[in-house]
Amino acid sequence: MKNLHISTTVNGDQTEFVCAPDETLLDVLRNRLGLTGAKEGCGTGDCGACSVTLNGRLVCACLVLGAEADGAEIGTVEGLATGDHLHPLQSNFIEHAALQCGVCTPGILVAAKALLEKNPNPTDTEIRYWLAGNLCRCTGYDKIIKAVQIAAAEMRNA
Amino acid sequence: MALDSEKKQVFKVVGTRPARPDGIDKVTGRAMYGADATAPGMLVGRILRSPHAHAIIRSIDTSAAEALKGVKAVVTSADFGAPEDESIRDVQDNCMARGKALYHGHAVAAVAANSAVVASQALKLIKVDYQILPHVTDVDEAMRPGAPVVQADRAFENVAAGFSENVTSQCEFGHGDLEAGFAKADKVIERSFTTAATHQGYIEPHACLASMTPDGKGDLWCCTQGQFHVRTVCAEIMGMDASQLRVTASEIGGGFGGKTTVFIEPVALALSRKSGRPVKIVMTRDEVFKATGPTVSSSMDVKIGMTKDGRITAAQARLRYQAGAFPSETVTYGAQSAFAAYDLKAVETIGWNVLTNRPKEAAYRAPGAPMAIYAVESVVDELCQELSLDPLDVRLKNAADKGTKSSYGPTFEAIGLRATLEAAKAHPHYTAPLGVNQGRGLSCGFWFNFGGNTCVSLNINTDGTVGITEGNPDIGGSRASISQMAAEELGIPYEKVRTIIADTNSLGYNDVTDGSRVTFSVGLATIEAARNAIKVMCGRVAKIWGIDEDAVIWEDGCAKPSGPNAGSFDPMSIEEIAAISANTGGPIAGHFEVNADGAGVSFGVHLADVEVDPETGATKVVRYTVFQDAGKAVHPDYVEGQMQGGAVQGIGWALNEEYIYGKNGLLQNPGFLDYRIPVASDLPDIETVILEIPNPGHPYGVRGVGETPIVPPLAALSNAVSRAIGRRMFELPMSPPKLLKAMSQKR
Amino acid sequence: MRYEKPSTAQEATNLLATEPGIARVLSGGTDVLVQIKAGMIEPDLIVDIKNLDRIRDITPEQGGFRIGAAVSGATLGEHAGVTALWPGVVEAFELIGSTQVQGRATMAGNLCNGSPAADSVPAMVAANAIARIAGPDGARNCPVQDIPVSPGRTALAKGEFITSIFLPARPERAADAYLRFTPRTEMDIAVASAAVSLELDADGTCTSARIALGAIAPTVVLVDAASICIIGTKLDATSLEAMSEACSAACNPIDDKRGTVEFRTRIVGVLAKRAALIAYKRAGGRA
Ligand SMILES: Cc1cc2nc3c(=O)[nH]c(=O)nc-3n(C[C@H](O)[C@H](O)[C@H](O)COP(=O)(O)OP(=O)(O)OC[C@H]3O[C@@H](n4cnc5c(N)ncnc54)[C@H](O)[C@@H]3O)c2cc1C
Ligand code: FES
Ligand code: FES
């Protein structure tokens, strides 16, 4: 199995890595690039804990090959905050207790950000369906939906 | 713990909703969970698992795997000793099958290699010679004489005759004259129920990193609900002194009871010892479902007698819990909690634990209680329907209260059941109109709550800020609550306190984060540690002022003279006292160690509205409200979070979650696509109403809140569905095929 | 395993045709990567087709649309033209997986994976969609309906792969709809499903109907016996009932962890009935 040399952009930074052809983007991010914010809850697309954006589209990093990242732009939870300034979703998740254990949180934040870019003023139902691929076992989702709404309102008024 | 006479009623910090200390780490991806740890020279560990439900392991040939380039160690049960303690041996045998594979997915061997690819290749090279045995996965079948025996000679003597060897224990609780009670009833209903096994479903799979050195020292990082328990079990299995094994708990991505035991840690330690390198094991989701703790599945009979006006005259339950391949005590909790919400003159519960060829059951939020209470609350609801009584009135009429002799023995202290029921009755949800195909159900829920071994260190830093070291992994914001209680007691702002969770070397033994004990016990120990630190500070100030120690009091973060007679001194703040501590006797700290009791039982009531599609059997939860007594809600956001999260786990249990075994004894659905936990779009908002009936056993009145909320949803949903479709349901989950079938049967 | 990302269809077929071991086309990867992870397949060669010319394009053609094989659900769902013309196909495709899966999944992949429960397949069959196939012997067209042959198997020969799917033009007063049954609202695999495509005349009488069912037989089933029940009607209750029964009669399901024979047989009729009413309304009929 010959390793591949890949050039990509992660959170705006030009990045290169070497990976095996069957290695997933999630493994690359976590094991080769030190970006362990994306979590592996299942490795089979069922939980959303590994959510990242690939050329602006929300995807499961566990269902993308590292090789497919060549020439692409990848966004992860590590890229959400600007400097020491948290993204409104991040600050509102803390303020409104939208996380308990927090392991689903990186994926949910990345997914919610993608939603608000597409639809800055979603209904609760739209948020619930958009986030249906992000499992959270701790919160019952209630506070997550509310925090996304509050962040969305804050972003609309910014 | 004696009742606290100086009960605090007015709070400044407790009851507010400050940001949690680990918040930023968790929203930026910086927090380190189990799988995020690395060590220099680290190897990848992988586990080979049984493809059979039940099989003798005749031999294991690991030579080809050992010969593979990159493989640094292979272990099987031959690499482990035989711990004397039976429960520890069970844990070990669950981590690595000895002689017999007891369930589909039971570990039989493990490898450590320099890459994941090599490790997987090596697993394929291990040859296991199995002799397949007949298996049993159903609880009722397993109890029958002649059933395949999962483990021989494990039954206690008190088990009644007439069962197979799989029935390992029997328990009984109750009081009063049942026969006379039933005779007084106007209506007696007896029903049988079953519930499927469900999994805790934490999103973070088990993960650990073990590092053993040739001098016998070990370090272990893992995601666990209790690093001290992990140390006890692993040290015993590895034949080490506790002092030589340091266990550090990572951030934990959910546990719900399922991370109170070990599955991979001893294996990683054994691989590390053998290879001389650090070894990391991360479970796949498939392994999590196959080999870690689901809850018990159950088969139950409940009989209750009621008078026309709604008074329960007698109640009886028979509980049969299958807890997988190893003996378990969970049925005891079920038998104790079944009728806890009721003040009964005659009550009896009998429970049996049963072995089957399934994974060893692990605790799941209020272990044992949800199913038993589901059966009881279903029969109560049916009686209400039969006798045309309001289900809340009936609960109020029979509610346990302060002074009630509980169905499991003890007499209750102040409890919040009545207040909770009354809150539900007064809530607009209870009287809101229902639409077509809709039904409303309610259920009470109960959990004991635990205290247990707890140990806290509180250090006053030289600038007057405070560091707290505690020993219980934070699974839902407990660091914030602990800091709040310390700030409250010391009279300083929340921001001045930082709480961390210690490794096993830094603190005395702490029980695991379970039994809803942390906010209660660690909180109590923190308050007492703060009081001890205050005592030290007052002593130092007394010396400076040259007055008696008891002439100094502590108020708003300052030492003050107790009154005009004590003398006239300007108050000294905690900062001032800390700054000169080097001159007044050295560092200032408070400690507290306790085996806490007085946890204070907790009750909740849930109201659920559902709509059932008459043509497909699909159930939609349209409205849901949780009422619960929290004693004192230290951080109300996290109390609500526990109530909402527990309710949703219960909703999943009631509707769609289940372990499905094929006729071949193999698990059919070891993944999140077919093990259907609720997703965001399945649910309505979960409304919460927190009641605060102070727990006399805690200085601030705190009760545990984490477990009770998973109890009521099972019956609340079953009662709602039964009322919506006009037929009683006796089986969980109420998946659509079952509902459609029930609806097509004649009433 | 090798990973190749050819830039022409010719190159792709050559790679696929000459690989002595196991070769797999990679589109969205939402099946392929899951199967690799689960150890169900161990391919020697992965041919990523996303770099081919026009493979991600949606092009109007003869009043219909040609949809490149690598068009994801998210992209198709954003295309107003296709959504207006074939709302049932789009809704079926969009039901697949989560938002994340939608970012990657393709209809061609859904079809070629060969699952009896594939959501977009009944909708494509009801729409009479035509797949364009590239192969060692050049390009050919094949009705979507003829591609699945049994669970996990397709009619594609070695070296062949789908380059696009054509959704034909349709007259005025025509529409389609798709419904599936899953225990959860999302993130679930169909226990049974039904796609209905209808054409109406000016007074709302159904003149043509194609009804395709999923997850109730080894492959998708086009039920002419059900179509006949509603052609010539305005979808009154009696004809809908007859259609629903015809659908149930066409079932050949299995009992598995996702549903029983009995359940699948019953609900597929309900789904067909409900989907027909939605399609009827979309086509401008008033039931
Ligand atoms: C979490 C999750 C949920 C899912 N839910 C659903 C669901 O609700 N309904 C449903 O139907 N499916 C579901 N799926 C399955 C999957 O997403 C769909 O089948 C999807 O449409 C596959 O498309 P893909 O492009 O990702 O296929 P790939 O994985 O790329 O390919 C699938 C198969 O088709 C072959 N293939 C791909 N493209 C071509 C081509 N152009 N020509 C020839 N062969 C090709 C591949 O070699 C492979 O065998 C789910 C998957 C996941 C992970
Ligand atoms: S880890 Fe990728 S979806 Fe679960
Ligand atoms: S906060 Fe624990 S899984 Fe979401």
Side-chain angles (χ1 to χ4, degrees):
Chain A
M1 195 153 34
K2 221 173 107 225
N3 278 351
L4 305 165
H5 178 236
I6 306 295
S7 304
T8 184
T9 305
V10 182
N11 299 327
D13 295 335
Q14 183 63 38
T15 307
E16 314 226 338
F17 61 84
V18 166
C19 72
D22 61 354
E23 209 169 311
T24 65
L25 177 60
L26 181 60
D27 285 339
V28 166
L29 290 170
R30 291 179 51 81
N31 303 337
R32 298 198 185 257
L33 302 179
L35 295 170
T36 54
K39 303 296 174 199
E40 178 165 323
C42 67
T44 50
D46 305 326
C47 76
C50 64
S51 297
V52 300
T53 53
L54 177 71
N55 295 325
R57 284 273 182 228
L58 184 67
V59 300
C60 296
C62 70
L63 293 186
V64 177
L65 290 176
E68 293 181 75
D70 202 33
E73 295 207 5
I74 293 158
T76 72
V77 69
E78 286 91 348
L80 244 58
T82 0
D84 65 353
H85 194 75
L86 294 181
H87 187 279
L89 280 163
Q90 291 174 309
S91 47
N92 282 296
F93 265 55
I94 298 176
E95 187 167 343
H96 300 286
L99 54 142
Q100 280 177 35
C101 80
V103 81
C104 67
T105 309
I108 291 187
L109 289 168
V110 171
K113 178 167 175 265
L115 168 65
L116 298 184
E117 275 161 13
K118 199 175 144 98
N119 178 359
N121 193 6
T123 63
D124 280 7
T125 306
E126 283 167 340
I127 300 174
R128 285 183 180 276
Y129 274 86
W130 182 273
L131 293 180
N134 290 91
L135 302 181
C136 173
R137 191 59 157 171
C138 297
T139 63
Y141 305 103
D142 190 287
K143 291 190 190 297
I144 293 175
I145 309 303
K146 296 196 167 103
V148 172
Q149 285 293 21
I150 295 166
E154 196 178 305
M155 287 164 72
R156 287 195 301 275
N157 298 332
Chain B
M1 184 83 225
L3 293 197
D4 200 290
S5 47
E6 318 158 69
K7 186 137 298 102
K8 189 145 179 158
Q9 297 301 347
V10 189
F11 296 100
K12 286 187 178 147
V13 187
V14 163
T16 65
R17 304 174 185 234
R20 58 195 281 171
D22 51 331
I24 291 187
D25 281 351
K26 287 184 174 165
V27 300
T28 54
R30 230 177 291 179
M32 299 275 287
Y33 291 84
D36 300 335
T38 57
M42 181 175 88
L43 301 174
V44 177
R46 283 274 159 88
I47 296 174
L48 183 71
R49 296 182 179 279
S50 168
H52 307 296
H54 196 192
I56 292 174
I57 301 169
R58 286 213 201 94
S59 65
I60 304 180
D61 178 358
T62 59
S63 54
E66 275 157 10
L68 185 69
K69 229 174 149 188
V71 171
K72 307 292 177 187
V74 181
V75 298
T76 66
S77 66
D79 293 273
F80 293 90
E84 260 168 48
D85 181 301
E86 198 166 58
S87 71
I88 293 202
R89 193 159 26 146
D90 280 349
V91 171
Q92 176 181 311
D93 290 349
N94 189 43
C95 292
M96 193 56 70
R98 194 160 43 103
K100 214 161 84 148
L102 298 172
Y103 56 90
H104 178 213
H106 198 169
V108 295
V111 303
N114 62 357
S115 79
V117 177
V118 174
S120 316
Q121 282 169 348
L123 289 189
K124 286 187 198 139
L125 295 174
I126 298 174
K127 289 186 210 78
V128 187
D129 181 11
Y130 291 106
Q131 178 190 334
I132 297 173
L133 297 173
H135 62 268
V136 61
T137 55
D138 177 79
V139 60
D140 292 312
E141 281 171 28
M143 292 178 81
R144 265 175 228 136
V149 174
V150 179
Q151 289 200 53
D153 301 325
R154 298 302 300 269
F156 285 110
E157 279 167 9
N158 72 334
V159 176
F163 296 122
S164 80
E165 259 188 279
N166 294 322
V167 181
T168 56
S169 62
Q170 175 168 340
C171 61
E172 288 187 42
F173 299 91
H175 56 253
D177 183 345
L178 277 184
E179 221 170 296
F182 284 122
K184 274 188 230 144
D186 294 307
K187 179 99 197 160
V188 176
I189 290 185
E190 183 171 11
R191 297 292 190 195
S192 298
F193 299 85
T194 61
T195 64
T198 55
H199 195 276
Q200 296 83 352
Y202 31 81
I203 305 303
E204 179 200 29
H206 299 261
C208 71
L209 170 56
S211 178
M212 293 278 291
T213 45
D215 58 0
K217 289 200 188 62
D219 270 287
L220 181 66
W221 294 265
C222 58
C223 55
T224 175
Q225 291 176 243
Q227 62 274 43
F228 294 91
H229 178 69
V230 170
R231 182 186 62 182
T232 304
V233 173
C234 290
E236 188 124 351
I237 289 176
M238 300 300 293
M240 297 166 73
D241 291 342
S243 62
Q244 297 309 305
L245 180 61
R246 181 171 66 143
V247 183
T248 310
S250 68
E251 291 296 333
I252 177 171
F256 315 110
K259 290 178 183 163
T260 54
T261 180
V262 301
F263 299 101
I264 51 175
E265 290 78 357
V267 180
L269 286 164
L271 286 168
S272 177
R273 175 143 76 186
K274 210 164 173 178
S275 65
R277 301 261 293 267
V279 174
K280 176 154 123 182
I281 298 183
V282 180
M283 273 190 165
T284 63
R285 180 55 55 183
D286 179 80
E287 289 181 285
V288 171
F289 275 115
K290 281 182 185 154
T292 72
T295 180
V296 303
S297 67
S298 71
S299 157
M300 306 170 287
D301 314 314
V302 167
K303 180 176 172 186
I304 300 176
M306 197 179 272
T307 60
K308 276 200 291 267
D309 62 349
R311 183 71 209 157
I312 297 175
T313 58
Q316 188 182 36
R318 301 267 179 278
L319 311 175
R320 298 168 290 273
Y321 285 11
Q322 79 68 32
F326 296 87
S328 144
E329 286 303 303
T330 296
V331 72
T332 314
Y333 300 132
Q336 291 182 321
S337 57
F339 293 105
Y342 296 100
D343 180 2
L344 300 174
K345 290 222 162 51
V347 55
E348 178 195 82
T349 53
I350 305 183
W352 293 275
N353 175 71
V354 185
L355 301 181
T356 62
N357 294 111
R358 293 186 183 220
K360 185 178 195 296
E361 170 253 2
Y364 181 20
R365 228 171 179 157
M371 31 310 225
I373 290 177
Y374 149 70
V376 168
E377 292 290 273
S378 293
V379 174
V380 170
D381 197 58
E382 192 176 353
L383 281 162
C384 293
Q385 277 184 306
E386 291 285 322
L387 297 168
S388 303
L389 298 167
D390 177 89
L392 262 179
D393 288 343
V394 166
R395 264 99 177 171
L396 276 165
K397 188 165 235 157
N398 295 283
D401 212 335
K402 185 174 177 172
T404 297
K405 180 179 165 60
S406 70
S407 56
Y408 58 98
T411 299
F412 286 133
E413 303 259 11
I415 55 172
L417 176 59
R418 186 168 293 281
T420 312
L421 286 163
E422 273 157 7
K425 196 165 181 199
H427 194 277
H429 183 170
Y430 193 57
T431 44
L434 286 166
V436 271
N437 300 321
Q438 293 188 347
R440 176 167 300 141
L442 72 92
S443 171
C444 296
F446 160 85
W447 186 243
F448 309 90
N449 293 336
F450 292 116
N453 292 295
T454 311
C455 161
V456 166
S457 271
L458 184 149
N459 295 302
I460 311 290
N461 303 320
T462 49
D463 63 354
T465 62
V466 172
I468 295 173
T469 307
E470 53 122 332
N472 279 95
D474 176 352
I475 46 177
S478 60
R479 271 168 292 200
S481 306
I482 302 305
S483 297
Q484 281 178 282
M485 286 186 265
E488 183 74 52
E489 196 61 32
L490 291 164
I492 60 176
Y494 168 79
E495 294 71 29
K496 299 285 177 197
V497 185
R498 180 163 181 181
T499 300
I500 64 136
I501 292 143
D503 63 48
T504 50
N505 238 45
S506 309
L507 212 56
Y509 187 89
N510 280 271
D511 280 331
V512 297
T513 297
D514 74 353
S516 303
R517 66 177 286 276
V518 174
T519 308
F520 168 76
S521 304
V522 181
L524 180 148
T526 300
I527 293 164
E528 296 298 342
R531 288 178 182 171
N532 287 338
I534 287 170
K535 198 156 181 284
V536 173
M537 291 190 282
C538 289
R540 301 275 176 97
V541 170
K543 271 207 198 116
I544 295 169
W545 289 341
I547 63 174
D548 251 15
E549 204 175 307
D550 17 333
V552 181
I553 56 156
W554 190 262
E555 234 175 55
D556 300 328
C558 296
K560 296 177 182 170
S562 60
N565 293 344
S568 160
F569 303 99
D570 285 343
M572 273 188 86
S573 71
I574 189 167
E575 288 91 349
E576 290 167 315
I577 299 166
I580 56 165
S581 59
N583 307 329
T584 61
I588 300 167
H591 300 270
F592 199 73
E593 293 80 30
V594 65
N595 185 355
D597 58 20
V601 301
S602 146
F603 286 94
V605 174
H606 292 199
L607 282 181
D609 293 358
V610 302
E611 184 171 321
V612 183
D613 184 332
E615 289 185 315
T616 66
T619 299
K620 186 174 177 204
V621 182
V622 292
R623 186 167 182 186
Y624 204 96
T625 312
V626 179
F627 304 83
Q628 192 177 317
D629 169 22
K632 174 71 205 167
V634 178
H635 192 308
D637 274 346
Y638 293 115
V639 172
E640 289 162 10
Q642 290 295 320
M643 290 159 73
Q644 292 167 331
V648 167
Q649 285 183 319
I651 289 171
W653 196 335
L655 295 181
N656 284 312
E657 291 181 34
E658 64 180 312
Y659 263 53
I660 304 172
Y661 279 90
K663 286 208 172 65
N664 54 9
L666 306 187
L667 182 60
Q668 305 285 299
N669 58 337
F672 276 135
L673 204 52
D674 285 306
Y675 182 87
R676 301 186 178 93
I677 76 171
V679 301
S681 51
D682 290 340
L683 296 162
D685 291 350
I686 307 291
E687 285 181 67
T688 54
V689 178
I690 301 175
L691 286 294
E692 294 188 321
I693 289 76
N695 168 21
H698 185 280
Y700 294 171
V702 168
R703 296 175 197 271
V705 294
E707 291 176 288
T708 303
I710 201 175
V711 179
L714 281 61
L717 265 88
S718 184
N719 293 338
V721 166
S722 298
R723 285 169 182 261
I725 67 174
R727 289 159 187 81
R728 235 332 107 185
M729 296 302 295
F730 303 106
E731 190 180 345
L732 298 185
M734 295 178 287
S735 51
K738 287 182 203 156
L739 286 189
L740 195 61
K741 199 164 176 180
M743 283 188 280
S744 58
Q745 274 152 8
K746 289 232 169 62
R747 272 162 229 231
Chain C
M1 183 182 117
R2 284 184 302 138
Y3 169 85
E4 298 285 353
K5 195 171 184 178
S7 45
T8 67
Q10 188 59 46
E11 226 185 298
T13 27
N14 283 348
L15 283 164
L16 291 167
T18 55
E19 171 60 42
I22 300 169
R24 275 285 185 287
V25 173
L26 176 72
S27 259
T30 59
D31 283 314
V32 174
L33 265 69
V34 172
Q35 289 159 7
I36 293 176
K37 172 96 184 178
M40 286 157 66
I41 53 167
E42 287 182 41
D44 302 288
L45 171 69
I46 288 283
V47 179
D48 186 346
I49 59 168
K50 291 192 288 296
N51 210 27
L52 303 186
D53 205 26
R54 315 203 56 181
I55 199 91
R56 295 164 189 253
D57 292 356
I58 302 170
T59 336
E61 184 179 312
Q62 295 173 348
F65 288 97
R66 181 161 297 284
I67 295 154
V71 169
S72 69
T75 308
L76 192 72
E78 286 164 2
H79 195 284
V82 183
T83 309
L85 194 66
W86 289 102
V89 174
V90 175
E91 76 192 344
F93 190 18
E94 287 194 311
L95 278 172
I96 293 174
S98 56
T99 317
Q100 287 84 342
V101 170
Q102 282 290 304
R104 299 267 294 165
T106 66
M107 287 203 288
N110 196 220
L111 175 61
C112 296
N113 187 54
S115 161
D119 281 309
S120 72
V121 176
M124 284 194 282
V125 169
N128 210 355
I130 311 287
R132 175 154 306 159
I133 299 166
D137 304 327
R140 66 179 176 108
N141 286 329
C142 175
V144 163
Q145 189 185 340
D146 296 336
I147 289 183
V149 292
S150 64
R153 300 215 167 276
T154 68
L156 299 184
K158 187 165 169 80
E160 285 192 325
F161 70 98
I162 295 177
T163 51
S164 66
I165 287 168
F166 179 65
L167 291 174
R170 65 192 326 178
E172 290 279 292
R173 288 186 297 281
D176 63 337
Y178 176 79
L179 286 177
R180 67 171 187 182
F181 184 83
T182 55
R184 287 190 290 197
T185 49
E186 281 280 312
M187 294 305 285
D188 224 330
I189 301 299
V191 178
S193 68
V196 178
S197 177
L198 301 176
E199 291 174 14
L200 313 182
D201 67 12
D203 78 341
T205 303
C206 175
T207 56
S208 156
R210 283 173 68 89
I211 299 170
L213 309 179
I216 48 75
T219 58
V220 58
V221 183
L222 186 69
V223 193
D224 290 334
S227 307
I228 292 166
C229 302
I230 53 170
I231 293 174
T233 76
K234 292 186 176 172
L235 273 60
D236 56 285
T238 325
S239 20
L240 276 177
E241 212 41 61
M243 181 208 73
S244 165
E245 275 167 31
C247 287
S248 295
C251 287
N252 175 23
I254 53 165
D255 272 329
D256 70 3
K257 61 189 172 191
R258 293 185 181 138
T260 58
V261 167
E262 183 194 349
F263 182 68
R264 289 191 154 107
T265 308
R266 271 187 68 180
I267 58 163
V268 81
V270 173
L271 295 170
K273 195 167 66 183
R274 291 179 180 179
L277 286 171
I278 297 169
Y280 189 68
K281 202 165 157 207
R282 282 181 183 159
R286 255 165 245 142

